[in-house]
């Protein structure tokens, strides 16, 4: 909102870019949408001018700025004559409006120092229209001395508004830079210095196959503006009406923005690819890093097709013949895999994600196609080709050299990485059962049971799960000669970078995943509840100024946060402990907080979530940029799992099942405040949900539950919910059509599958 005592009116700016679940085309339009709402607050009619000025980013002297009209659209097209159409630098911008009365300047004045801005402001402040300035092609490459910046262009809209009345003007800023360069493959790395096939490869961004230029995307934006806005707002409204604590809702919604940043791109065929985060002029840590994207739960539910494309790329191009899966996918697809070792959390996290994505989509053919690669991936744990000897004796426990997301290796059993292994085994057993592979199901089930029992018996110290390792035993490194220099401390005669007796933030991450994907128990319920309590007690720091942290500072002074690891009084801390152990990294904190909530520690979990969001409150840090080793860090999309946890979302489209088991908020919760639905509302519970075939909402209104589909379709055979506990269902309808059913406590078994669409809603009456 814009206002000023000396300005005769008020202005509101509404800006957006489409974000519509499942609609990846419209959610990927390379354009920014702006609506300016003017109100004349005076007693006289007034002529208003709104001007959008854009800098042509091409090298100065090569800019080609041209006015154009196309259909109802009027705009400026900003390009360059310096690059061929296949060059990485080739591209264009468009600024346009569908307003009737406009004026423009293709070029600002070219001069030295600040001349261009000086003259623009003089001209803009005069009544009437802008006068165009065009230097022509002949002058493009002339030198212009100390010109500040590139060639600016301005598009102005003019409107006369009667006293007390309103008017709206729309602008769109669109871009098209179609050619993506594998820029992190440096030319200097090649011995030929420029004359061979090892130069950086290029390919087209996916959006370039849909919109041939920025003019096309600008025209599409203006033609479909109202629909795109309404569908985006519908998603926003339903999400924000969800019956979850406000601080959790803020964490969820703020981090959805990561999907709209350069952390994420789409390859030429539409496949999804991600960095870990962003540096100012490049991606941060390439390769759709498996162990980082393990935490990201936004994409698989909001754009499931794109999430499945990540599995397709990994299992097709990134799985070696040995069964090892490097954790960084090489581009372009089909390039030789990385030679670096596989990481345990990324390797087995991939199996868990296949299981999750299969249940979200119900696509049995997709699962069947991946199944041989999945089996090979799991068998790598005990394969003789696994030089890191993860589980050579098939005990269901990882014991060898285990690379992980904290960039080092653990030696010896630990619940953190073994939890990934166990969850993958349990998921694989269920997938094997569905695919009629009984021998694999038996093998994985037996191995899971064996490993689970061992882990509960040997890794739980009565308070939390710890790593079993003899820090003074150098012989642990004998089978890994290359590890001695990195992992043996000659001064203290001790292994480096281990946890040992410490309490670590990811010790129950396998159980976190299991809760979210519907796998059930991985670790003993009583023990993991104690471990969750201990994690909060030992790792959450109300005031960070009292904590020594030799690593990166994501939290400081009076801010609160949850550190990666700590060693309680009486527990031995290695001389050189686990890397990053003193840091507070947002994605890990969300995972631990949600695990606490899943285990009934709602207030503790919300305390951690609030601590994160207090750090990104808009004053101290950008509320839409939670960073780790880069900005817009993918791991923070773990926050979406707050929605899944609080709503108790259960899903299995392969079985036609959908369900909701809301976590109750303690009545005395200080942090559990839920957004008000109004004093007269009869709504007891509601939430947003999304799966592969459709998305919508569910709400309970006293004596009925209403499952509504906003877009897409949904085939339902079974509905289950704790909202049915103690209630007898008297009627189920699909629109006006009665549906036959049987009730088994909290489960409704529909006599015939119901095909739900956006024209009808499933109503369950008590």
């Amino acid at each position: 909102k814009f206002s000023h005592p000396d300005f005769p009116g008020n202005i509101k700016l509404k800006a957006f870019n489409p974000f519509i679940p499942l609609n990846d085309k419209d959610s990927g339009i390379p354009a920014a949408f702006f609506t300016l709402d003017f109100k004349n607050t005076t007693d006289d009619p007034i002529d208003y001018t709104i001007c959008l000025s854009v800098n042509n980013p091409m090298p100065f002297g090569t800019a080609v700025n041209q006015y154009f009209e196309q259909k109802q659209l009027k705009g400026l097209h900003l390009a360059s004559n310096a690059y061929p159409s296949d060059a990485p630098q080739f591209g264009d911008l468009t600024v346009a409006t569908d307003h009737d009365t406009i004026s423009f300047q293709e070029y600002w004045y070219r001069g030295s120092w600040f001349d261009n801005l000086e003259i623009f402001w003089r001209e803009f402040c005069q009544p009437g229209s802008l006068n165009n300035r065009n230097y022509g092609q002949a002058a493009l490459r002339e030198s212009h001395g100390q010109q500040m910046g590139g060639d600016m262009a301005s598009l102005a809209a003019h409107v006369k508004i009667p006293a007390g009345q309103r008017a709206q003007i729309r602008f769109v800023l669109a871009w098209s830079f179609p050619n993506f360069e594998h820029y992190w493959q440096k030319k200097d790395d090649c011995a030929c210095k420029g004359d061979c096939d090892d130069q950086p490869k290029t390919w087209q961004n996916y959006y370039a196959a849909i919109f041939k230029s920025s003019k096309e995307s600008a025209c599409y934006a203006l033609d479909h503006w109202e629909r795109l806005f309404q569908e985006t707002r519908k998603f926003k409204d339903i999400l924000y009406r969800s019956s979850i604590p406000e601080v959790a809702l803020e964490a969820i919604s703020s981090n959805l923005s990561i999907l709209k940043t350069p952390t994420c791109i789409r390859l030429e065929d539409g496949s999804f690819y991600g960095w870990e985060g962003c540096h100012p002029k490049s991606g941060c840590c390439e390769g759709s890093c498996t162990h980082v994207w393990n935490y990201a739960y936004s994409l698989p539910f909001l754009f499931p097709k794109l999430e499945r494309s990540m599995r397709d790329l990994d299992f097709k191009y990134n799985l070696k013949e040995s069964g090892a899966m490097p954790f960084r996918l090489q581009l372009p697809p089909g390039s030789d895999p990385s030679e670096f070792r596989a990481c345990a959390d990324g390797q087995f996290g991939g199996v868990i994600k296949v299981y999750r994505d299969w249940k979200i989509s119900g696509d049995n053919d997709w699962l069947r196609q991946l199944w041989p690669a999945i089996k090979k991936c799991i068998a790598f744990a005990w394969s003789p080709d696994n030089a890191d000897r993860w589980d050579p004796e098939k005990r269901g426990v990882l014991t060898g050299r285990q690379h992980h997301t904290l960039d080092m290796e653990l030696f010896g059993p630990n619940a953190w990485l073994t939890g990934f292994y166990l969850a993958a085994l349990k998921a694989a057993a269920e997938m094997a059962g569905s695919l009629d592979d009984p021998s694999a199901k038996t093998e994985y089930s037996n191995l899971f049971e064996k490993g689970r029992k061992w882990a509960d018996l040997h890794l739980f110290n009565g308070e939390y799960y710890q790593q079993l390792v003899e820090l003074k035993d150098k012989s642990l490194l004998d089978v890994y000669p290359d590890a001695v220099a990195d992992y043996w401390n000659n001064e203290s005669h001790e292994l480096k970078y281990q946890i040992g007796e410490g309490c670590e933030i990811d010790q129950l991450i396998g159980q976190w995943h299991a809760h979210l994907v519907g796998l059930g128990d991985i670790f003993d319920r009583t023990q993991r509840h104690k471990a969750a309590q201990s994690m909060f007690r030992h790792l959450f720091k109300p005031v960070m100024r009292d904590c020594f942290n030799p690593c990166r500072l994501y939290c400081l002074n009076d801010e609160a946060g949850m550190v990666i690891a700590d060693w309680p009084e009486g527990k031995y801390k290695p001389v050189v402990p686990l890397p990053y152990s003193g840091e507070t990294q947002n994605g890990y904190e969300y995972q631990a907080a949600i695990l606490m909530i899943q285990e009934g520690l709602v207030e503790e979990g919300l305390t951690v979530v609030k601590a994160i969001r207090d750090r990104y409150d808009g004053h101290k840090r950008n509320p839409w940029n939670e960073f780790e080793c880069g900005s817009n860090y993918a791991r923070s999309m773990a926050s979406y799992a707050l929605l899944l946890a609080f709503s108790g979302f259960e899903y299995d489209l392969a079985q036609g099942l959908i369900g909701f088991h809301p976590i109750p908020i303690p009545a005395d919760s200080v942090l559990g405040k839920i957004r008000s639905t109004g004093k007269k509302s009869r709504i007891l519970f509601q939430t947003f949900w999304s799966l592969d075939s459709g998305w919508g909402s569910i709400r309970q209104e006293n004596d009925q539950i209403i499952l509504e589909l906003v877009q897409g379709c949904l085939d339902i055979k079974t509905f289950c919910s704790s909202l049915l506990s103690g209630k007898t269902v008297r009627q189920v309808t699909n629109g006006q059509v009665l549906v036959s059913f049987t009730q088994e406590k909290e489960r409704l078994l529909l006599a015939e599958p119901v095909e739900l669409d956006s024209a009808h809603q499933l109503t369950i009456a008590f």
Side-chain angles (χ1 to χ4, degrees), residues 279-342:
H279 290 320
K281 295 186 178 181
S282 64
C284 163
C285 305
E286 48 90 18
S288 298
C289 182
T290 55
H291 52 53
V292 168
W293 281 86
N294 272 344
Y295 296 76
Y297 265 80
S298 304
L299 190 69
F301 287 91
L302 297 176
F303 302 98
K305 181 180 74 173
L306 302 189
E307 181 72 28
R308 288 200 303 281
S309 74
M310 298 179 80
R311 306 290 87 71
D312 293 336
L313 290 173
D314 266 336
F315 282 96
K316 182 176 182 179
Y317 299 113
N318 209 24
L319 188 68
K320 296 184 177 181
E321 187 58 35
S322 65
M325 182 180 286
F327 54 89
R328 297 196 189 279
L329 176 74
Q330 303 302 295
L331 289 184
S335 301
D336 292 338
S338 167
E339 291 303 315
F340 195 80
R341 61 182 20 86

Side-chain angles (χ1 to χ4, degrees), residues 210-249:
I210 302 173
F211 304 108
K212 301 303 181 185
S213 69
S214 61
K215 279 187 186 179
E216 282 198 13
S217 52
C219 189
Y220 183 87
L222 285 163
D223 284 347
H224 298 268
W225 189 296
E226 190 59 27
R227 175 183 63 82
L228 295 170
F229 176 74
Q230 293 300 337
E231 291 181 4
T232 299
R233 186 168 68 175
K234 186 75 171 178
F235 163 59
K236 175 258 181 185
D237 288 345
I238 293 176
L239 175 65
Y240 272 67
R241 287 199 295 262
S242 298
S243 301
I244 66 173
E246 287 189 352
V247 67
L249 187 57

